[in-house]
Amino acid sequence: QVQLVESGGGLVKPGGSLRLSCVASGYRLDYYAIGWFRQAPGKEREGVACITEIDKDTSVKGRFTISRDKAKNTFYLQMNSLKPEDTGVYYCAADNELHRLCVQTNFGSWGQGTQVTVSS
């Protein structure tokens, strides 16, 4: 099973930006679906952005962009114009099944999570 380690979380003011990183080991991610999920206090974990196709390395969803660097076996979440409601624990995830929806039940490998707090 692939091991994932996130980094890059922290405290940021509204309107600011953060980039989260997820380094994978154990397997190459070239042929894996990858995703970022978040869990706000008292809420269920939700999908933020995913790439579920082999030949796609970047996907933009609103203010968030997921991208991967195959040479580094790492993927990222660029978050711009952050809002207080973006606060939560952010998790990276991967799975060797492709072309499925960006929901947590479709991902088998998870990182430990990194806290993102958006507050003035």
Side-chain angles (χ1 to χ4, degrees), residues 60-104:
V60 179
K61 184 178 179 182
R63 297 174 287 114
F64 297 165
T65 300
I66 181 174
S67 62
R68 66 174 137 197
D69 185 333
K70 292 177 180 177
K72 296 181 178 179
N73 213 30
T74 299
F75 59 102
Y76 307 94
L77 182 68
Q78 177 66 43
M79 304 185 290
N80 298 326
S81 302
L82 284 162
K83 305 176 181 180
E85 50 264 43
D86 294 319
T87 294
V89 179
Y90 282 69
Y91 299 88
C92 62
D95 198 273
N96 57 6
E97 292 284 339
L98 298 167
H99 307 299
R100 299 197 293 177
L101 294 177
C102 187
V103 296
Q104 61 170 333

Side-chain angles (χ1 to χ4, degrees), residues 12-29:
V12 62
K13 293 182 178 180
S17 297
L18 274 179
R19 189 177 81 154
L20 306 181
S21 300
C22 182
V23 179
S25 60
Y27 288 88
R28 298 288 311 170
L29 288 183

Side-chain angles (χ1 to χ4, degrees), residues 52-65:
T52 61
E53 301 169 37
I54 294 176
D55 58 356
K56 191 171 185 179
D57 292 333
T58 301
S59 179
V60 179
K61 184 178 179 182
R63 297 174 287 114
F64 297 165
T65 300

